C-alpha cells in the first residue's frame, strides 16, 4: 500500500491528470495481477501442513510447483494488460488522462511475472514460518521504488525525464527486486539446512508435476476469484472516474489511497479472526470460536470508528500530503466525508469475511460480495454519477451502499451461524 501511495504522491506535482492516470493504471493492473497472486494462496495451506508434519522435501515440491504456476500464469497476465492498453481509445477516458495512462500501464505490465514469482516465494516462506525476509524485501523495495520515482519521473542523475511512465518503471524495478531478494533468501536458507537449490522449477523427480499444480489451482481459484471481485469493483470505479475531468479523477485516486490504507487495519483483523476461530473449531470448542468471532468484530468496529472520525475531522491535512491543487483538495474533502461514513461498514465486511473463513464458509461471502458491489453498489454509483449529475461523489455513494449491504448481510450470516451453537 505504501508503494502505491508513494507513486501517487510523487506524480502529484505533475497535476491532476497525472494523479488520475497513475491511479487508473495501477488499479486496472492490480485487478488483473491480483488473480494470479491469489492462485498462490494454496501454498499457504500445503506448505504449512507439510512443514508441520516435518516433511521438508514435500515443502520444496510445493515451492517448485508454485514457481511453475507463476511461470504459467505470468505471460497471460502480461498479454491481458497489453490488450487493455491497446483498447484504451474505446474506454471514453478524458484525453489528458488517456495520453498518460497508456505508457504507465505498459511499464507496469513487465512487472507481472516477477510479482507472481514473489507471491510464490512469499507463500512458501510464510508456510515455513520464515517471515522476516518478506518484511525486509518489502521495506527495501519501497526504498528502491521511491528512489526510482525520483530519478525516472523527473530525470535526475542524468536519467531521461519520463513523467508518469517513469513511476511505472520504478514500480516494476521494485517488484523485480522483491522476487530476487526472496529467491536469494530461500537459497541461503536451503544452503544453511544442507538442502537442494531453492526454486528450480521442477519436482524433485525432475519433471513438471501437473497433478500438484492442479491441486494448487483447485484451492487457490476460489480465493483468487473473491479477492479479484473485491479489488475489481474499485478498479471499475476508478475507470469510471477516468471518464470525468482530471480534477475529479485525481481527487478520487487520492481519497481511494487514503481509504485503502485505512482498510489494512480490518484486513489484518480479518486474518487474525480467521486464525482464532479456526483454531477453536479445530479444538472442537465452539463457544470459544463464537467468542473469538464477536471479539474480532467488536475490535474492528471500535478501531474503524476512530479512523472514520480522523477522516472526517482532518481531511484537508491528509489530502494536502498528495497535492497543493485547491480544486483537488475541495473535492477530496467531500469524498473523505463519505469515506468516514462507510469506515465502520468497510471494516465490518472485511472482518466478518475472515471470521466466516475460520469456520470454513467461503462461498457465501463471495456471492454476497458480487450482489452487494457488482449488482447493487456499482450500478447505483454509475447512475448517480452520470445520469443524475453527481459526478465522482455519486460513485462513492454507490460504493458506500454496496459496502453497507455486504456488511449487514454477512454479519447476519455470522449471527445465524452462532445461534446454532448458542
Amino acid at each position: 500500500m505504501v508503494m502505491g501511495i508513494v507513486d501517487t504522491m510523487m506524480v502529484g506535482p505533475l497535476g491532476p491528470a497525472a494523479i488520475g492516470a497513475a491511479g487508473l493504471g495501477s488499479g486496472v493492473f492490480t485487478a488483473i495481477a491480483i488473480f494470479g497472486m491469489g492462485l498462490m494462496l494454496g501454498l499457504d495451506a500445503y506448505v504449512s501442513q507439510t512443514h508441520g508434519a516435518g516433511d521438508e522435501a514435500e515443502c520444496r515440491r510445493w515451492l517448485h510447483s508454485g514457481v511453475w504456476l507463476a511461470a504459467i500464469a505470468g505471460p497471460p497476465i502480461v498479454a491481458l494488460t497489453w490488450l487493455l492498453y491497446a483498447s484504451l481509445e474505446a474506454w471514453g477516458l478524458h484525453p489528458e488522462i488517456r495520453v498518460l495512462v497508456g505508457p504507465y500501464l505498459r511499464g507496469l505490465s513487465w512487472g507481472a511475472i516477477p510479482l507472481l514469482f514473489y507471491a510464490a516465494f512469499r507463500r512458501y516462506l510464510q508456510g515455513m514460518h520464515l517471515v522476516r525476509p518478506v518484511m525486509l524485501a518489502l521495506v527495501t523495495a519501497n526504498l528502491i521504488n521511491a528512489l526510482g520515482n525520483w530519478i525516472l519521473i523527473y530525470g535526475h542523475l542524468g536519467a531521461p525525464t519520463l513523467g508518469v511512465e517513469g513511476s511505472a518503471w520504478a514500480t516494476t524495478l521494485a517488484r523485480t527486486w522483491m522476487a530476487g531478494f526472496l529467491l536469494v533468501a530461500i537459497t541461503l536458507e536451503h544452503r544453511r539446512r544442507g538442502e537442494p537449490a531453492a526454486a528450480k522449477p521442477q519436482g524433485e523427480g525432475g519433471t513438471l508435476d501437473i497433478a500438484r499444480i492442479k491441486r494448487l489451482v483447485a484451492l487457490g481459484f476460489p480465493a483468487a476469484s473473491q479477492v479479484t471481485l473485491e479489488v475489481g469493483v474499485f478498479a471499475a470505479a476508478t475507470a469510471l472516474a477516468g471518464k470525468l475531468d482530471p480534477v475529479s479523477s485525481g481527487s478520487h485516486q487520492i481519497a481511494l489511497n487514503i481509504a485503502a490504507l485505512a482498510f489494512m487495519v480490518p484486513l489484518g483483523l480479518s486474518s487474525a479472526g480467521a486464525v482464532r476461530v479456526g483454531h477453536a473449531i479445530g479444538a472442537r470448542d465452539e463457544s470459544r470460536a463464537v467468542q473469538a468471532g464477536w471479539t474480532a468484530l467488536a475490535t474492528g468496529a471500535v478501531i474503524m470508528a476512530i479512523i472514520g472520525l480522523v477522516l472526517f475531522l482532518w481531511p484537508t491535512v491528509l489530502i494536502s500530503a498528495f497535492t497543493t491543487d485547491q480544486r483537488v483538495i475541495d473535492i477530496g474533502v467531500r469524498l473523505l466525508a463519505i469515506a468516514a461514513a462507510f469506515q465502520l461498514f468497510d471494516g465490518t465486511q472485511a472482518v466478518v469475511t475472515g471470521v466466516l473463513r475460520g469456520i470454513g464458509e467461503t462461498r457465501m461471502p463471495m456471492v454476497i460480495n458480487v450482489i452487494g458491489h457488482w449488482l447493487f453498489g456499482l450500478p447505483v454509483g454509475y447512475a448517480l454519477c452520470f445520469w443524475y449529475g453527481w459526478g465522482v461523489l455519486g460513485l462513492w455513494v454507490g460504493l458506500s451502499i454496496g459496502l453497507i449491504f455486504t456488511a449487514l448481510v454477512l454479519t447476519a450470516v455470522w449471527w445465524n451461524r452462532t445461534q446454532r451453537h448458542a
Side-chain angles (χ1 to χ4, degrees), residues 379 382-390:
Y382 182 92
L384 293 175
C385 176
F386 296 103
W387 296 352
Y388 292 93
W390 289 26

Side-chain angles (χ1 to χ4, degrees), residues 316-402:
T316 303
V317 174
L318 295 171
I319 298 171
S320 296
F322 294 83
T323 182
T324 57
D325 191 310
Q326 191 58 48
R327 298 169 301 166
V328 175
I329 293 174
D330 290 342
I331 296 177
V333 167
R334 298 165 71 185
L335 293 180
L336 283 191
I338 298 174
F342 71 59
Q343 286 304 294
L344 177 62
F345 301 99
D346 196 15
T348 297
Q349 65 90 21
V351 175
V352 76
T353 297
V355 168
L356 287 168
R357 189 166 65 247
I359 63 174
E361 176 60 80
T362 57
R363 187 181 65 86
M364 186 64 73
M366 183 181 70
V367 172
I368 293 173
N369 184 280
V370 171
I371 296 172
H373 293 308
W374 288 96
L375 300 183
F376 196 24
L378 192 61
V380 170
Y382 182 92
L384 293 175
C385 176
F386 296 103
W387 296 352
Y388 292 93
W390 289 26
V392 71
L393 294 175
L395 282 177
W396 277 63
V397 170
L399 291 175
S400 301
I401 291 172

